[in-house]
Amino acid sequence: MQIKVSKRHHLQQVNIQLSGAKNALLHLLFASLLTEDTTTLTNVPSSLRDYHAVCDILLAIGARVNSMDDIVAITAPQKISQIDVSSSYTRRTRTSLMLLGALAKKVGILSIGHPGGCSFSEQRPFDIHLHGFEALGARVTYDDYHITIEHIADKEVEHTLRYPSVGASINLMLYAVLGSREVTLHNIALEPEVIEVASFLNYAGAQIKIDHHQRIMSIKGVERLSGVNFRVMYDRIQTMTYAALAYLHKLDVCVEGVNTKEYIAKPLQVLKEMGAKWRFEPDKNRIYFQGSKSVLKPTRITAMPYPEFATDLQPVFAVMCIQAQGVSEITDTVYPERIKYVDELRKLNFPIECQQGKIRIFGGEPYTLHAATMKSYDLRAGMAVVMGASLSDQVCTISSAEQVFRGYENLLENMTHFMHISIDTGE
Ligand code: EPU
């Protein structure tokens, strides 16, 4: 899919109604397979492509999925015998890996195709997931096409993750939650989406404790989990993308549906240090990004695991830094290879470069952006390219734009407040 983007003049204050978080929702959908009765999720961003990819996987394994507006009800299949989920399903999302944790104990033996997801890296490894399963009592084998897991026995075990991986922390939690033993995981990821899945499971009857200070998760296996009604947390990455758009276009943007600023504390701190003005109104569940009154100073950002600055935000903050009066510098330690968008932005004449893993944005200088055809390599890189194009008076074309639709709810409607944007029908 291609989209066309160019600058929109005379912008006015924007109000965005925020949706639930993609990265919480996708994992919660798989976690719902562990509950015995129907589970209902609300605040679901149902326009997202990744949501539909996961629903298709759930349907393929025999689950019932009933969705209406922003609500979805999932009923796990009563009986699951051996399952083989092909890569035509699993390659549509990285979270298809969660089938392993959610179903291995129910099914006994399970085989899935390799996962897909964002293509900012040639290889997004899953060794931390597989080593964890083995430590927790499973036999794991894989080849170029399939990953197979066989649950052998519950084990009372302490296991340390090599890196605080979001997906592996959730996958191992899903695996350990039903059972007869206690599992202790060290060096877990503390991203709010991981905590959200733990809260969901506890609400359904699990016994999971998290020591945030030490990065330890203790899971006492339980016999069963019951179905629950659960509201998906707000999307912190979408929130801060709208923040970046506010300061990029010097526009006031109100994001509604933000009930805590805890999840966005680090990027808010970065903005404050840059001189950006914002106001959180907890009683109204909203945050104002006061782009019209803000003059930005340059910054240095290092993306690291939560509670540090999120890797998902570095591409969109990089584009915003064009408005800072000086040179900003960004490094991504989580996905150092998430830099392909820099070359795409340079096609526009956007003042950005990347050398030895350091992204530099030369703000404060006069610039003229060209028309360009750019590729969206992944979801957040795609948004960075869209944002860059929204500064150009000439019409830009963005290919592989379906990537951006994977993670931004009501994309065209919401972006149209900031830019001219339309699907390229080829006419
Ligand atoms: N890693 C390994 N081995 C593994 C797993 C991860 O080496 O088995 C490495 C990765 O290569 C990476 C680091 O560990 O260098 C972090 O990866 P992590 O497992 O935490 O990422 P993920 O669970 O695959 C989720 C989000 C990503 C987000 C990362 C980091 C979802 C669906 N995806 O991915 O979000 O960038 O955590 O916070 O939750 C996005 O929304 O655009 C997106 C890509």
PDB file of all heavy atoms in Angstrom, residues 188-223:
ATOM      1  N   ILE A 188      13.646  -9.676  34.475  1.00  0.00           N
ATOM      2  CA  ILE A 188      12.467  -9.555  33.600  1.00  0.00           C
ATOM      3  C   ILE A 188      12.328  -8.119  33.077  1.00  0.00           C
ATOM      4  O   ILE A 188      12.868  -7.167  33.648  1.00  0.00           O
ATOM      5  CB  ILE A 188      11.165  -9.932  34.346  1.00  0.00           C
ATOM      6  CG1 ILE A 188      10.992  -9.054  35.599  1.00  0.00           C
ATOM      7  CG2 ILE A 188      11.113 -11.403  34.666  1.00  0.00           C
ATOM      8  CD1 ILE A 188       9.571  -8.874  36.015  1.00  0.00           C
ATOM      9  N   ALA A 189      11.577  -7.996  31.991  1.00  0.00           N
ATOM     10  CA  ALA A 189      11.240  -6.662  31.456  1.00  0.00           C
ATOM     11  C   ALA A 189      10.153  -6.058  32.347  1.00  0.00           C
ATOM     12  O   ALA A 189       9.274  -6.771  32.829  1.00  0.00           O
ATOM     13  CB  ALA A 189      10.731  -6.807  30.030  1.00  0.00           C
ATOM     14  N   LEU A 190      10.233  -4.748  32.538  1.00  0.00           N
ATOM     15  CA  LEU A 190       9.250  -4.059  33.397  1.00  0.00           C
ATOM     16  C   LEU A 190       8.348  -3.127  32.588  1.00  0.00           C
ATOM     17  O   LEU A 190       7.660  -2.273  33.162  1.00  0.00           O
ATOM     18  CB  LEU A 190       9.989  -3.243  34.468  1.00  0.00           C
ATOM     19  CG  LEU A 190      10.795  -4.073  35.471  1.00  0.00           C
ATOM     20  CD1 LEU A 190      11.631  -3.158  36.355  1.00  0.00           C
ATOM     21  CD2 LEU A 190       9.880  -4.945  36.324  1.00  0.00           C
ATOM     22  N   GLU A 191       8.348  -3.278  31.260  1.00  0.00           N
ATOM     23  CA  GLU A 191       7.491  -2.430  30.425  1.00  0.00           C
ATOM     24  C   GLU A 191       6.055  -2.536  30.941  1.00  0.00           C
ATOM     25  O   GLU A 191       5.620  -3.629  31.355  1.00  0.00           O
ATOM     26  CB  GLU A 191       7.564  -2.894  28.965  1.00  0.00           C
ATOM     27  CG  GLU A 191       8.632  -2.219  28.110  1.00  0.00           C
ATOM     28  CD  GLU A 191      10.076  -2.593  28.483  1.00  0.00           C
ATOM     29  OE1 GLU A 191      10.276  -3.413  29.399  1.00  0.00           O
ATOM     30  OE2 GLU A 191      11.001  -2.047  27.858  1.00  0.00           O
ATOM     31  N   PRO A 192       5.304  -1.432  30.942  1.00  0.00           N
ATOM     32  CA  PRO A 192       3.938  -1.462  31.473  1.00  0.00           C
ATOM     33  C   PRO A 192       3.077  -2.571  30.855  1.00  0.00           C
ATOM     34  O   PRO A 192       2.177  -3.086  31.509  1.00  0.00           O
ATOM     35  CB  PRO A 192       3.392  -0.078  31.105  1.00  0.00           C
ATOM     36  CG  PRO A 192       4.598   0.778  30.974  1.00  0.00           C
ATOM     37  CD  PRO A 192       5.704  -0.100  30.482  1.00  0.00           C
ATOM     38  N   GLU A 193       3.376  -2.956  29.612  1.00  0.00           N
ATOM     39  CA  GLU A 193       2.577  -3.991  28.949  1.00  0.00           C
ATOM     40  C   GLU A 193       2.818  -5.358  29.604  1.00  0.00           C
ATOM     41  O   GLU A 193       1.925  -6.206  29.608  1.00  0.00           O
ATOM     42  CB  GLU A 193       2.907  -4.035  27.445  1.00  0.00           C
ATOM     43  CG  GLU A 193       2.496  -2.790  26.668  1.00  0.00           C
ATOM     44  CD  GLU A 193       3.425  -1.592  26.857  1.00  0.00           C
ATOM     45  OE1 GLU A 193       4.549  -1.779  27.411  1.00  0.00           O
ATOM     46  OE2 GLU A 193       3.041  -0.465  26.480  1.00  0.00           O
ATOM     47  N   VAL A 194       4.026  -5.573  30.151  1.00  0.00           N
ATOM     48  CA  VAL A 194       4.321  -6.825  30.870  1.00  0.00           C
ATOM     49  C   VAL A 194       3.522  -6.832  32.184  1.00  0.00           C
ATOM     50  O   VAL A 194       2.878  -7.823  32.533  1.00  0.00           O
ATOM     51  CB  VAL A 194       5.842  -6.928  31.179  1.00  0.00           C
ATOM     52  CG1 VAL A 194       6.145  -8.195  31.984  1.00  0.00           C
ATOM     53  CG2 VAL A 194       6.654  -6.891  29.898  1.00  0.00           C
ATOM     54  N   ILE A 195       3.539  -5.710  32.873  1.00  0.00           N
ATOM     55  CA  ILE A 195       2.828  -5.590  34.163  1.00  0.00           C
ATOM     56  C   ILE A 195       1.315  -5.747  33.921  1.00  0.00           C
ATOM     57  O   ILE A 195       0.605  -6.332  34.719  1.00  0.00           O
ATOM     58  CB  ILE A 195       3.130  -4.213  34.833  1.00  0.00           C
ATOM     59  CG1 ILE A 195       4.645  -3.943  34.846  1.00  0.00           C
ATOM     60  CG2 ILE A 195       2.517  -4.142  36.224  1.00  0.00           C
ATOM     61  CD1 ILE A 195       5.499  -5.006  35.500  1.00  0.00           C
ATOM     62  N   GLU A 196       0.871  -5.216  32.780  1.00  0.00           N
ATOM     63  CA  GLU A 196      -0.559  -5.304  32.435  1.00  0.00           C
ATOM     64  C   GLU A 196      -0.994  -6.766  32.282  1.00  0.00           C
ATOM     65  O   GLU A 196      -2.057  -7.158  32.754  1.00  0.00           O
ATOM     66  CB  GLU A 196      -0.786  -4.537  31.118  1.00  0.00           C
ATOM     67  CG  GLU A 196      -2.196  -4.546  30.577  1.00  0.00           C
ATOM     68  CD  GLU A 196      -3.083  -3.455  31.153  1.00  0.00           C
ATOM     69  OE1 GLU A 196      -2.772  -2.931  32.243  1.00  0.00           O
ATOM     70  OE2 GLU A 196      -4.106  -3.134  30.508  1.00  0.00           O
ATOM     71  N   VAL A 197      -0.174  -7.578  31.622  1.00  0.00           N
ATOM     72  CA  VAL A 197      -0.533  -8.987  31.440  1.00  0.00           C
ATOM     73  C   VAL A 197      -0.540  -9.703  32.799  1.00  0.00           C
ATOM     74  O   VAL A 197      -1.429 -10.504  33.090  1.00  0.00           O
ATOM     75  CB  VAL A 197       0.423  -9.691  30.438  1.00  0.00           C
ATOM     76  CG1 VAL A 197       0.078 -11.170  30.315  1.00  0.00           C
ATOM     77  CG2 VAL A 197       0.342  -9.027  29.074  1.00  0.00           C
ATOM     78  N   ALA A 198       0.435  -9.373  33.664  1.00  0.00           N
ATOM     79  CA  ALA A 198       0.458  -9.967  35.011  1.00  0.00           C
ATOM     80  C   ALA A 198      -0.811  -9.569  35.776  1.00  0.00           C
ATOM     81  O   ALA A 198      -1.434 -10.411  36.437  1.00  0.00           O
ATOM     82  CB  ALA A 198       1.709  -9.519  35.758  1.00  0.00           C
ATOM     83  N   SER A 199      -1.223  -8.312  35.671  1.00  0.00           N
ATOM     84  CA  SER A 199      -2.445  -7.846  36.377  1.00  0.00           C
ATOM     85  C   SER A 199      -3.664  -8.603  35.864  1.00  0.00           C
ATOM     86  O   SER A 199      -4.523  -9.016  36.631  1.00  0.00           O
ATOM     87  CB  SER A 199      -2.699  -6.360  36.139  1.00  0.00           C
ATOM     88  OG  SER A 199      -1.590  -5.631  36.494  1.00  0.00           O
ATOM     89  N   PHE A 200      -3.721  -8.756  34.553  1.00  0.00           N
ATOM     90  CA  PHE A 200      -4.831  -9.488  33.934  1.00  0.00           C
ATOM     91  C   PHE A 200      -4.895 -10.917  34.488  1.00  0.00           C
ATOM     92  O   PHE A 200      -5.950 -11.401  34.903  1.00  0.00           O
ATOM     93  CB  PHE A 200      -4.640  -9.495  32.408  1.00  0.00           C
ATOM     94  CG  PHE A 200      -5.506 -10.470  31.680  1.00  0.00           C
ATOM     95  CD1 PHE A 200      -6.801 -10.135  31.326  1.00  0.00           C
ATOM     96  CD2 PHE A 200      -5.032 -11.740  31.346  1.00  0.00           C
ATOM     97  CE1 PHE A 200      -7.611 -11.047  30.653  1.00  0.00           C
ATOM     98  CE2 PHE A 200      -5.829 -12.653  30.680  1.00  0.00           C
ATOM     99  CZ  PHE A 200      -7.130 -12.299  30.333  1.00  0.00           C
ATOM    100  N   LEU A 201      -3.746 -11.588  34.502  1.00  0.00           N
ATOM    101  CA  LEU A 201      -3.721 -12.990  34.945  1.00  0.00           C
ATOM    102  C   LEU A 201      -4.069 -13.083  36.432  1.00  0.00           C
ATOM    103  O   LEU A 201      -4.811 -13.968  36.850  1.00  0.00           O
ATOM    104  CB  LEU A 201      -2.346 -13.606  34.660  1.00  0.00           C
ATOM    105  CG  LEU A 201      -2.013 -13.788  33.174  1.00  0.00           C
ATOM    106  CD1 LEU A 201      -0.546 -14.166  32.984  1.00  0.00           C
ATOM    107  CD2 LEU A 201      -2.901 -14.868  32.539  1.00  0.00           C
ATOM    108  N   ASN A 202      -3.558 -12.156  37.242  1.00  0.00           N
ATOM    109  CA  ASN A 202      -3.893 -12.167  38.680  1.00  0.00           C
ATOM    110  C   ASN A 202      -5.381 -11.967  38.886  1.00  0.00           C
ATOM    111  O   ASN A 202      -5.995 -12.579  39.742  1.00  0.00           O
ATOM    112  CB  ASN A 202      -3.099 -11.078  39.417  1.00  0.00           C
ATOM    113  CG  ASN A 202      -1.671 -11.524  39.706  1.00  0.00           C
ATOM    114  OD1 ASN A 202      -1.375 -12.723  39.693  1.00  0.00           O
ATOM    115  ND2 ASN A 202      -0.791 -10.582  39.962  1.00  0.00           N
ATOM    116  N   TYR A 203      -5.953 -11.081  38.089  1.00  0.00           N
ATOM    117  CA  TYR A 203      -7.382 -10.812  38.155  1.00  0.00           C
ATOM    118  C   TYR A 203      -8.178 -12.097  37.833  1.00  0.00           C
ATOM    119  O   TYR A 203      -9.233 -12.371  38.399  1.00  0.00           O
ATOM    120  CB  TYR A 203      -7.692  -9.707  37.145  1.00  0.00           C
ATOM    121  CG  TYR A 203      -9.037  -9.058  37.261  1.00  0.00           C
ATOM    122  CD1 TYR A 203      -9.643  -8.837  38.492  1.00  0.00           C
ATOM    123  CD2 TYR A 203      -9.710  -8.627  36.115  1.00  0.00           C
ATOM    124  CE1 TYR A 203     -10.880  -8.227  38.579  1.00  0.00           C
ATOM    125  CE2 TYR A 203     -10.946  -8.012  36.193  1.00  0.00           C
ATOM    126  CZ  TYR A 203     -11.525  -7.831  37.429  1.00  0.00           C
ATOM    127  OH  TYR A 203     -12.748  -7.234  37.510  1.00  0.00           O
ATOM    128  N   ALA A 204      -7.606 -12.917  36.952  1.00  0.00           N
ATOM    129  CA  ALA A 204      -8.269 -14.165  36.550  1.00  0.00           C
ATOM    130  C   ALA A 204      -7.970 -15.307  37.525  1.00  0.00           C
ATOM    131  O   ALA A 204      -8.448 -16.420  37.324  1.00  0.00           O
ATOM    132  CB  ALA A 204      -7.817 -14.543  35.143  1.00  0.00           C
ATOM    133  N   GLY A 205      -7.145 -15.051  38.557  1.00  0.00           N
ATOM    134  CA  GLY A 205      -6.901 -16.079  39.580  1.00  0.00           C
ATOM    135  C   GLY A 205      -5.452 -16.524  39.700  1.00  0.00           C
ATOM    136  O   GLY A 205      -5.160 -17.442  40.467  1.00  0.00           O
ATOM    137  N   ALA A 206      -4.550 -15.902  38.973  1.00  0.00           N
ATOM    138  CA  ALA A 206      -3.136 -16.306  39.036  1.00  0.00           C
ATOM    139  C   ALA A 206      -2.479 -15.773  40.310  1.00  0.00           C
ATOM    140  O   ALA A 206      -3.040 -14.916  41.002  1.00  0.00           O
ATOM    141  CB  ALA A 206      -2.394 -15.776  37.814  1.00  0.00           C
ATOM    142  N   GLN A 207      -1.276 -16.287  40.586  1.00  0.00           N
ATOM    143  CA  GLN A 207      -0.507 -15.796  41.745  1.00  0.00           C
ATOM    144  C   GLN A 207       0.864 -15.353  41.255  1.00  0.00           C
ATOM    145  O   GLN A 207       1.820 -16.117  41.254  1.00  0.00           O
ATOM    146  CB  GLN A 207      -0.377 -16.893  42.781  1.00  0.00           C
ATOM    147  CG  GLN A 207      -1.705 -17.190  43.444  1.00  0.00           C
ATOM    148  CD  GLN A 207      -1.519 -17.932  44.763  1.00  0.00           C
ATOM    149  OE1 GLN A 207      -0.521 -17.775  45.453  1.00  0.00           O
ATOM    150  NE2 GLN A 207      -2.485 -18.755  45.084  1.00  0.00           N
ATOM    151  N   ILE A 208       0.894 -14.109  40.794  1.00  0.00           N
ATOM    152  CA  ILE A 208       2.142 -13.558  40.233  1.00  0.00           C
ATOM    153  C   ILE A 208       2.537 -12.346  41.064  1.00  0.00           C
ATOM    154  O   ILE A 208       1.718 -11.453  41.306  1.00  0.00           O
ATOM    155  CB  ILE A 208       1.942 -13.119  38.763  1.00  0.00           C
ATOM    156  CG1 ILE A 208       1.448 -14.289  37.931  1.00  0.00           C
ATOM    157  CG2 ILE A 208       3.222 -12.527  38.178  1.00  0.00           C
ATOM    158  CD1 ILE A 208       0.958 -13.902  36.542  1.00  0.00           C
ATOM    159  N   LYS A 209       3.802 -12.319  41.483  1.00  0.00           N
ATOM    160  CA  LYS A 209       4.307 -11.151  42.226  1.00  0.00           C
ATOM    161  C   LYS A 209       5.500 -10.587  41.472  1.00  0.00           C
ATOM    162  O   LYS A 209       6.329 -11.358  40.963  1.00  0.00           O
ATOM    163  CB  LYS A 209       4.761 -11.565  43.623  1.00  0.00           C
ATOM    164  CG  LYS A 209       3.617 -11.851  44.563  1.00  0.00           C
ATOM    165  CD  LYS A 209       4.135 -11.867  45.995  1.00  0.00           C
ATOM    166  CE  LYS A 209       3.005 -12.261  46.923  1.00  0.00           C
ATOM    167  NZ  LYS A 209       3.308 -13.426  47.715  1.00  0.00           N
ATOM    168  N   ILE A 210       5.586  -9.263  41.456  1.00  0.00           N
ATOM    169  CA  ILE A 210       6.716  -8.646  40.745  1.00  0.00           C
ATOM    170  C   ILE A 210       7.464  -7.714  41.692  1.00  0.00           C
ATOM    171  O   ILE A 210       6.859  -6.868  42.352  1.00  0.00           O
ATOM    172  CB  ILE A 210       6.219  -7.879  39.500  1.00  0.00           C
ATOM    173  CG1 ILE A 210       5.641  -8.887  38.502  1.00  0.00           C
ATOM    174  CG2 ILE A 210       7.365  -7.093  38.856  1.00  0.00           C
ATOM    175  CD1 ILE A 210       5.016  -8.287  37.282  1.00  0.00           C
ATOM    176  N   ASP A 211       8.772  -7.912  41.755  1.00  0.00           N
ATOM    177  CA  ASP A 211       9.631  -7.009  42.521  1.00  0.00           C
ATOM    178  C   ASP A 211      10.294  -6.083  41.483  1.00  0.00           C
ATOM    179  O   ASP A 211      11.238  -6.483  40.796  1.00  0.00           O
ATOM    180  CB  ASP A 211      10.664  -7.853  43.282  1.00  0.00           C
ATOM    181  CG  ASP A 211      11.657  -6.988  44.063  1.00  0.00           C
ATOM    182  OD1 ASP A 211      11.822  -5.804  43.707  1.00  0.00           O
ATOM    183  OD2 ASP A 211      12.268  -7.518  45.008  1.00  0.00           O
ATOM    184  N   HIS A 212       9.752  -4.872  41.380  1.00  0.00           N
ATOM    185  CA  HIS A 212      10.224  -3.938  40.347  1.00  0.00           C
ATOM    186  C   HIS A 212      11.682  -3.549  40.569  1.00  0.00           C
ATOM    187  O   HIS A 212      12.433  -3.381  39.620  1.00  0.00           O
ATOM    188  CB  HIS A 212       9.355  -2.678  40.341  1.00  0.00           C
ATOM    189  CG  HIS A 212       7.984  -2.932  39.803  1.00  0.00           C
ATOM    190  ND1 HIS A 212       7.543  -2.410  38.618  1.00  0.00           N
ATOM    191  CD2 HIS A 212       6.972  -3.680  40.282  1.00  0.00           C
ATOM    192  CE1 HIS A 212       6.302  -2.816  38.402  1.00  0.00           C
ATOM    193  NE2 HIS A 212       5.934  -3.588  39.405  1.00  0.00           N
ATOM    194  N   HIS A 213      12.017  -3.395  41.842  1.00  0.00           N
ATOM    195  CA  HIS A 213      13.363  -2.929  42.166  1.00  0.00           C
ATOM    196  C   HIS A 213      14.417  -3.935  41.696  1.00  0.00           C
ATOM    197  O   HIS A 213      15.429  -3.576  41.101  1.00  0.00           O
ATOM    198  CB  HIS A 213      13.428  -2.709  43.679  1.00  0.00           C
ATOM    199  CG  HIS A 213      14.599  -1.892  44.079  1.00  0.00           C
ATOM    200  ND1 HIS A 213      14.790  -0.615  43.625  1.00  0.00           N
ATOM    201  CD2 HIS A 213      15.663  -2.207  44.871  1.00  0.00           C
ATOM    202  CE1 HIS A 213      15.916  -0.156  44.127  1.00  0.00           C
ATOM    203  NE2 HIS A 213      16.468  -1.101  44.877  1.00  0.00           N
ATOM    204  N   GLN A 214      14.134  -5.239  41.936  1.00  0.00           N
ATOM    205  CA  GLN A 214      15.124  -6.279  41.611  1.00  0.00           C
ATOM    206  C   GLN A 214      14.883  -6.917  40.243  1.00  0.00           C
ATOM    207  O   GLN A 214      15.611  -7.833  39.860  1.00  0.00           O
ATOM    208  CB  GLN A 214      15.034  -7.407  42.653  1.00  0.00           C
ATOM    209  CG  GLN A 214      15.047  -6.936  44.078  1.00  0.00           C
ATOM    210  CD  GLN A 214      16.441  -7.018  44.671  1.00  0.00           C
ATOM    211  OE1 GLN A 214      17.410  -7.303  43.977  1.00  0.00           O
ATOM    212  NE2 GLN A 214      16.548  -6.750  45.951  1.00  0.00           N
ATOM    213  N   ARG A 215      13.799  -6.518  39.552  1.00  0.00           N
ATOM    214  CA  ARG A 215      13.426  -7.145  38.254  1.00  0.00           C
ATOM    215  C   ARG A 215      13.175  -8.644  38.426  1.00  0.00           C
ATOM    216  O   ARG A 215      13.708  -9.470  37.659  1.00  0.00           O
ATOM    217  CB  ARG A 215      14.526  -6.940  37.194  1.00  0.00           C
ATOM    218  CG  ARG A 215      14.565  -5.549  36.613  1.00  0.00           C
ATOM    219  CD  ARG A 215      15.480  -5.484  35.403  1.00  0.00           C
ATOM    220  NE  ARG A 215      15.509  -4.124  34.887  1.00  0.00           N
ATOM    221  CZ  ARG A 215      14.691  -3.654  33.934  1.00  0.00           C
ATOM    222  NH1 ARG A 215      13.816  -4.446  33.364  1.00  0.00           N
ATOM    223  NH2 ARG A 215      14.770  -2.393  33.550  1.00  0.00           N
ATOM    224  N   ILE A 216      12.403  -9.028  39.432  1.00  0.00           N
ATOM    225  CA  ILE A 216      12.119 -10.452  39.680  1.00  0.00           C
ATOM    226  C   ILE A 216      10.613 -10.688  39.601  1.00  0.00           C
ATOM    227  O   ILE A 216       9.828  -9.903  40.140  1.00  0.00           O
ATOM    228  CB  ILE A 216      12.615 -10.883  41.077  1.00  0.00           C
ATOM    229  CG1 ILE A 216      14.132 -10.754  41.167  1.00  0.00           C
ATOM    230  CG2 ILE A 216      12.199 -12.332  41.384  1.00  0.00           C
ATOM    231  CD1 ILE A 216      14.702 -11.063  42.539  1.00  0.00           C
ATOM    232  N   MET A 217      10.236 -11.763  38.923  1.00  0.00           N
ATOM    233  CA  MET A 217       8.822 -12.175  38.880  1.00  0.00           C
ATOM    234  C   MET A 217       8.703 -13.567  39.505  1.00  0.00           C
ATOM    235  O   MET A 217       9.418 -14.482  39.101  1.00  0.00           O
ATOM    236  CB  MET A 217       8.345 -12.206  37.422  1.00  0.00           C
ATOM    237  CG  MET A 217       6.878 -12.576  37.277  1.00  0.00           C
ATOM    238  SD  MET A 217       6.424 -12.775  35.535  1.00  0.00           S
ATOM    239  CE  MET A 217       6.366 -11.101  34.969  1.00  0.00           C
ATOM    240  N   SER A 218       7.806 -13.690  40.495  1.00  0.00           N
ATOM    241  CA  SER A 218       7.571 -15.013  41.116  1.00  0.00           C
ATOM    242  C   SER A 218       6.176 -15.460  40.727  1.00  0.00           C
ATOM    243  O   SER A 218       5.203 -14.725  40.930  1.00  0.00           O
ATOM    244  CB  SER A 218       7.641 -14.927  42.639  1.00  0.00           C
ATOM    245  OG  SER A 218       8.779 -14.213  43.012  1.00  0.00           O
ATOM    246  N   ILE A 219       6.091 -16.663  40.184  1.00  0.00           N
ATOM    247  CA  ILE A 219       4.801 -17.174  39.699  1.00  0.00           C
ATOM    248  C   ILE A 219       4.527 -18.503  40.394  1.00  0.00           C
ATOM    249  O   ILE A 219       5.261 -19.480  40.189  1.00  0.00           O
ATOM    250  CB  ILE A 219       4.846 -17.404  38.168  1.00  0.00           C
ATOM    251  CG1 ILE A 219       5.366 -16.151  37.465  1.00  0.00           C
ATOM    252  CG2 ILE A 219       3.479 -17.802  37.633  1.00  0.00           C
ATOM    253  CD1 ILE A 219       6.140 -16.435  36.218  1.00  0.00           C
ATOM    254  N   LYS A 220       3.486 -18.510  41.229  1.00  0.00           N
ATOM    255  CA  LYS A 220       3.081 -19.761  41.886  1.00  0.00           C
ATOM    256  C   LYS A 220       1.999 -20.368  41.013  1.00  0.00           C
ATOM    257  O   LYS A 220       0.930 -19.761  40.828  1.00  0.00           O
ATOM    258  CB  LYS A 220       2.527 -19.412  43.269  1.00  0.00           C
ATOM    259  CG  LYS A 220       2.759 -20.475  44.297  1.00  0.00           C
ATOM    260  CD  LYS A 220       2.127 -20.071  45.590  1.00  0.00           C
ATOM    261  CE  LYS A 220       3.122 -20.151  46.722  1.00  0.00           C
ATOM    262  NZ  LYS A 220       2.586 -19.646  47.957  1.00  0.00           N
ATOM    263  N   GLY A 221       2.253 -21.516  40.443  1.00  0.00           N
ATOM    264  CA  GLY A 221       1.288 -22.130  39.523  1.00  0.00           C
ATOM    265  C   GLY A 221      -0.066 -22.355  40.185  1.00  0.00           C
ATOM    266  O   GLY A 221      -0.139 -22.717  41.355  1.00  0.00           O
ATOM    267  N   VAL A 222      -1.148 -22.113  39.453  1.00  0.00           N
ATOM    268  CA  VAL A 222      -2.508 -22.383  39.959  1.00  0.00           C
ATOM    269  C   VAL A 222      -3.179 -23.392  39.023  1.00  0.00           C
ATOM    270  O   VAL A 222      -2.714 -23.625  37.903  1.00  0.00           O
ATOM    271  CB  VAL A 222      -3.363 -21.083  40.057  1.00  0.00           C
ATOM    272  CG1 VAL A 222      -2.776 -20.124  41.078  1.00  0.00           C
ATOM    273  CG2 VAL A 222      -3.505 -20.406  38.697  1.00  0.00           C
ATOM    274  N   GLU A 223      -4.301 -23.961  39.517  1.00  0.00           N
ATOM    275  CA  GLU A 223      -4.961 -25.018  38.743  1.00  0.00           C
ATOM    276  C   GLU A 223      -5.768 -24.478  37.567  1.00  0.00           C
ATOM    277  O   GLU A 223      -5.809 -25.068  36.500  1.00  0.00           O
ATOM    278  CB  GLU A 223      -5.886 -25.785  39.672  1.00  0.00           C
ATOM    279  CG  GLU A 223      -5.806 -27.273  39.506  1.00  0.00           C
ATOM    280  CD  GLU A 223      -6.565 -27.942  40.624  1.00  0.00           C
ATOM    281  OE1 GLU A 223      -5.986 -28.124  41.707  1.00  0.00           O
ATOM    282  OE2 GLU A 223      -7.760 -28.219  40.402  1.00  0.00           O
TER     283      GLU A 223
END
